[in-house]
Amino acid sequence: MNIVLLVLDLLFPRRCAGCSRRGTAWCPTCHAGTAGLVAVHRTLLAGTRAYAATAYTGPARRLVVAYKERRRRELARPIGLILADAVPRVLAREGLGARCWLVPAPSRPAALRKRGGNHVTLAAAHTARVLRTRGLSVEVAPVLHLRRGTRDSVGLTPEARLSNLRHRVRVRGPLPPPDTPVLFIDDVITTGATAATCVSALRAAGAQVAATLALTATV
């Protein structure tokens, strides 16, 4: 272990984001309890199939909050591992091969400044890296961006969330090749408004979106 990390662990012991166990950012027990795949059904997602690795509750919810709101960026790696286990399962359910592109969900400009970048993109990059070591051909295309003026969606109704995002999602940058399946990646599916809007924008730009995959989904 790097001597600096060793000293930091002694002075400020790491704790599992899921259960507060000392000595690790994300323990094997919490990982085993969150790595899976479930179909997600929302009215707003009628035009695309959606999946989540686990429910947005317990250790998984604490993982998302610690990573997203408390800027524990070391958690991008375990989140990437959870998603890396889920991606092949999605590809199998969709009847696809071992090649895909991941398009991460965008964040509001204010959130990007607050969090020091797009947390979903960082996790997706870890996911792709892990999958390539397993023999899959996976790339990340962070082509989605939100215009200024997009409100924080917390507390909004499904209709208000959809209205908040409509016409504010931009596709900017090189898209995946036309013949390549795309998975839209997010951290949490709540109403499905973000996924529905982003998938629609990607398809309008010519991307072949096969499904949505989130780390978690609300119950």
Side-chain angles (χ1 to χ4, degrees):
M1 177 183 287
N2 184 291
I3 187 63
V4 175
L5 293 178
L6 179 60
V7 172
L8 288 174
D9 277 347
L10 290 173
L11 294 175
F12 309 101
R14 290 180 297 169
R15 290 181 178 272
C16 171
C19 66
S20 296
R21 180 183 298 181
R22 286 179 177 267
T24 180
W26 183 243
C27 74
T29 301
C30 287
H31 181 82
T34 54
L37 189 71
V38 294
V40 179
H41 303 286
R42 299 287 190 274
T43 301
L44 296 181
L45 291 174
T48 182
R49 284 177 291 279
Y51 304 91
T54 189
Y56 184 65
T57 186
R61 181 183 183 279
R62 292 189 286 271
L63 173 66
V64 172
V65 172
Y67 178 56
K68 187 174 180 178
E69 305 301 340
R70 297 173 187 165
R71 300 186 66 173
R72 288 189 57 181
R73 287 299 178 258
E74 77 275 14
L75 296 174
R77 185 175 182 276
I79 290 173
L81 286 171
I82 295 171
L83 290 173
D85 288 338
V87 166
R89 296 171 181 170
V90 173
L91 296 178
R93 288 199 186 190
E94 296 299 315
L96 302 171
R99 178 173 177 248
C100 71
W101 283 63
L102 310 179
V103 175
S107 292
R108 294 177 301 114
L112 291 173
R113 292 191 297 271
K114 176 183 176 182
R115 297 167 185 158
N118 188 313
H119 63 291
V120 181
T121 298
L122 180 59
H126 280 274
T127 302
R129 193 174 301 120
V130 171
L131 289 172
R132 286 194 293 268
T133 67
R134 299 177 183 177
L136 277 71
S137 177
V138 181
E139 300 293 339
V140 179
V143 298
L144 292 175
H145 305 271
L146 290 178
R147 298 179 186 274
R148 294 184 182 279
T150 308
R151 298 166 55 195
D152 189 341
S153 61
V154 174
L156 298 181
T157 64
E159 294 75 14
R161 284 175 181 253
L162 196 62
S163 177
N164 180 45
L165 292 170
R166 189 178 288 119
H167 309 308
R168 289 189 173 91
V169 177
R170 293 184 297 168
V171 179
R172 186 178 63 200
L175 283 170
D179 61 340
T180 305
V182 170
L183 299 183
F184 172 71
I185 304 295
D186 207 350
D187 55 355
V188 184
I189 294 176
T190 49
T191 64
T194 298
T197 307
C198 290
V199 168
S200 178
L202 286 169
R203 287 176 172 165
Q208 303 299 311
V209 183
T212 290
L213 171 61
L215 175 68
T216 63
T218 56
V219 178

